[in-house]
Amino acid sequence: MKIEVLTLFPEMFECLKSSVIGRAIDGGKLEFHAVDIRAYSKDRHQKCDDYPFGGGAGMVMMPQPIYDAFQAVDPERKCKRIYMSPKGRRLTDAVARELAAENRDIILLCGHYEGVDQRVLDLCIDEEISIGDYVLTGGELAAMVTIDALSRFLPGVLGSEQSNRDESFASNRLEYPQYTRPSEFMGMKVPDILLSGHHANVEKWRREQSDKLTFELRPDLMEDDK
Ligand code: ADE
């Protein structure tokens, strides 16, 4: 899958190039480009924002540089185009899976300042996605969260063991507690059952822990069981 991000701050995306997503990019499982919207400004000073018509605080991103960036990156309109916005559909595990299964390449538009001129959204955008009910200073972090969450579902990005564990989130349960060596740390012992080598009992214990944690911390997730 190819993901392009249209942003005023392409350098923010450098941090995607480490860890699991970095390996996915290096290994060719994910192609990623951050496109600088400013490069498409026709203004002498590469200005991309202006005062809002009707007055009010802050600046609004101008339509032309964004429109031209879309034209350059996706001239035949073959990509799924998403605007990162608190007004959008909430990103969940299911939405991340859906995006990973998308057969078009994806373009994520990141807004900044007080927003983006509505006309370029009406012209260019297929869907808006929000990562939660709070307002970020820009869409970049939201785009990174979305890329990270969907990449985990791309074939070959995670090892098979990890992919299987993801199935447990799909069944609306929180993760069970994990432990590694040493078996005793600051006087605290790892639960005996995890040292027992009895695979079926370990599985059972983990399922029970997941149920208990979900019941205590996120009972709303269990409502889908009914
Ligand atoms: N841009 C600003 N806030 C956002 C949010 N919560 N989700 C997605 N994009 C955003």
Side-chain angles (χ1 to χ4, degrees):
M1 168 174 277
K2 182 160 90 178
I3 301 180
E4 315 239 19
V5 173
L6 308 189
T7 170
L8 291 173
F9 302 98
E11 68 282 0
M12 285 180 74
F13 290 86
E14 284 304 305
C15 63
L16 264 188
K17 296 180 182 162
S18 34
S19 187
V20 177
I21 309 302
R23 281 199 299 278
I25 295 168
D26 292 343
K29 314 276 191 256
L30 171 68
E31 195 181 330
F32 172 74
H33 303 285
V35 176
D36 188 354
I37 296 170
R38 221 174 280 284
Y40 296 92
S41 170
K42 294 210 165 99
D43 179 81
R44 215 156 33 105
H45 305 290
Q46 295 194 300
K47 188 171 126 101
C48 288
D49 61 324
D50 212 328
Y51 295 98
F53 280 125
M59 304 292 269
V60 175
M61 284 173 73
M62 295 153 67
Q64 175 271 316
I66 295 174
Y67 185 85
D68 287 358
F70 273 115
Q71 284 296 102
V73 169
D74 180 27
E76 294 174 58
R77 199 165 183 149
K78 287 187 170 160
C79 300
K80 177 162 175 101
R81 299 164 164 205
I82 298 170
Y83 174 46
M84 303 314 304
S85 157
K87 290 185 202 152
R89 177 160 70 123
R90 179 77 66 85
L91 181 70
T92 60
D93 195 61
V95 172
R97 257 175 218 274
E98 182 192 306
L99 293 175
E102 173 65 49
N103 45 33
R104 292 171 287 176
D105 292 331
I106 291 180
I107 305 180
L108 303 176
L109 170 65
C110 303
H112 243 272
Y113 315 118
E114 286 310 302
V116 172
D117 187 290
Q118 186 61 39
R119 292 165 296 180
V120 76
L121 298 179
D122 293 344
L123 282 168
C124 295
I125 294 298
D126 300 318
E127 189 185 5
E128 301 191 8
I129 286 189
S130 165
I131 63 161
D133 287 342
Y134 38 81
V135 181
L136 302 166
T137 57
E140 283 76 12
L141 287 171
M144 282 186 247
V145 168
T146 304
I147 293 166
D148 192 291
L150 82 81
S151 297
R152 306 177 79 251
F153 297 115
L154 294 176
V157 168
L158 299 181
S160 56
E161 215 176 285
Q162 180 77 34
S163 313
N164 289 340
R165 279 191 30 214
D166 282 338
E167 296 302 323
S168 78
F169 204 101
S171 63
N172 294 316
R173 290 296 183 274
L174 300 176
E175 172 91 277
Y176 48 79
Q178 295 273 30
Y179 301 88
T180 186
R181 278 188 282 200
S183 59
E184 188 173 334
F185 177 68
M186 307 281 273
M188 299 164 82
K189 290 190 171 143
V190 170
D192 284 340
I193 198 147
L194 298 179
L195 310 176
S196 70
H198 193 300
H199 190 67
N201 286 352
V202 169
E203 283 301 300
K204 182 164 171 282
W205 180 86
R206 286 179 166 167
R207 259 196 318 275
E208 286 164 1
Q209 293 292 314
S210 280
D211 282 347
K212 185 165 164 281
L213 278 173
T214 312
F215 182 73
E216 282 167 11
L217 301 175
R218 292 292 307 277
D220 56 300
L221 290 177
M222 296 178 117
E223 265 152 40
D224 288 354
D225 291 0
K226 290 174 196 154

